[in-house]
């Protein structure tokens, strides 16, 4: 997939791929307007929504409703570096959700492709190229 990143003004940085545009901005204290999430917040949201896709796929296959299911994601950061050291996801289910599916629901969320890429990260190559 090819993604094109452009700078529409201020501290905004947007990414376009196919028919989609992901908009990002910085908070006012970071020189932005806070008009969109930061790139890092979008990254973290990709983890939670990816897990959600797998939960969404799991439930209908077993005739289980997704109403009342939520995923709460929390990150714990190193106070010295600010780097995320742990990401915790909690799948909240309504009282009527069958307990026999709890472990399988967790296993389905663990299939998230974003999580798997973090566990085995790709190589990064960054270069500068002059264009006409």
């Amino acid at each position: 997939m090819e993604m094109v990143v452009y700078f529409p003004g201020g501290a905004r940085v947007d990414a376009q791929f196919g028919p989609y545009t992901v908009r990002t901005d910085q908070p006012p204290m970071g020189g932005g307007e806070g008009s969109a999430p930061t790139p890092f917040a979008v990254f973290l949201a990709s983890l939670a929504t990816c897990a959600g896709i797998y939960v969404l796929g799991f439930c209908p296959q077993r005739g289980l409703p997704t109403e009342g299911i939520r995923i709460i994601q929390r990150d714990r950061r190193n106070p010295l570096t600010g780097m995320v050291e742990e990401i915790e996801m909690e799948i909240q289910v309504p009282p009527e959700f069958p307990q026999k599916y709890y472990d399988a629901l967790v296993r389905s969320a663990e299939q998230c492709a974003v999580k798997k890429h973090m566990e085995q990260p790709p190589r990064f190559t960054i270069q500068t190229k002059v264009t006409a």
Side-chain angles (χ1 to χ4, degrees):
M1 168 180 22
E2 182 171 281
M3 194 173 290
V4 178
V5 174
Y6 58 96
F7 310 96
R12 293 177 309 182
V13 179
D14 295 350
Q16 189 168 11
F17 51 100
Y20 308 107
T21 299
V22 175
R23 296 176 187 354
T24 72
D25 197 357
Q26 294 295 309
M29 66 182 202
E33 299 174 4
S35 66
T38 65
F40 193 69
V42 172
F43 167 71
L44 291 174
S46 75
L47 285 164
T49 56
C50 182
I53 287 294
Y54 284 86
V55 168
L56 183 63
F58 174 87
C59 290
Q61 288 176 351
R62 285 148 191 88
L64 300 168
T66 54
E67 293 168 21
I69 297 177
R70 301 186 322 164
I71 297 175
I72 308 298
Q73 178 174 286
R74 298 176 189 91
D75 63 74
R76 298 192 203 317
R77 298 178 188 230
N78 180 310
L80 299 176
T81 65
M83 298 289 287
V84 174
E85 292 186 329
E86 182 181 5
I87 295 173
E88 170 190 296
M89 289 187 195
E90 178 180 283
I91 304 170
Q92 297 180 345
V93 296
E96 62 275 7
F97 193 88
Q99 187 173 356
K100 70 179 185 177
Y101 290 116
Y102 287 8
D103 290 341
L105 196 62
V106 168
R107 285 192 302 274
S108 72
E110 288 175 338
Q111 297 305 307
C112 166
V114 179
K115 174 186 164 293
K116 287 184 174 188
H117 276 79
M118 285 188 64
E119 292 171 337
Q120 294 185 4
R123 273 188 324 272
F124 283 82
T125 304
I126 302 174
Q127 59 187 354
T128 300
K129 182 177 180 181
V130 177
T131 60

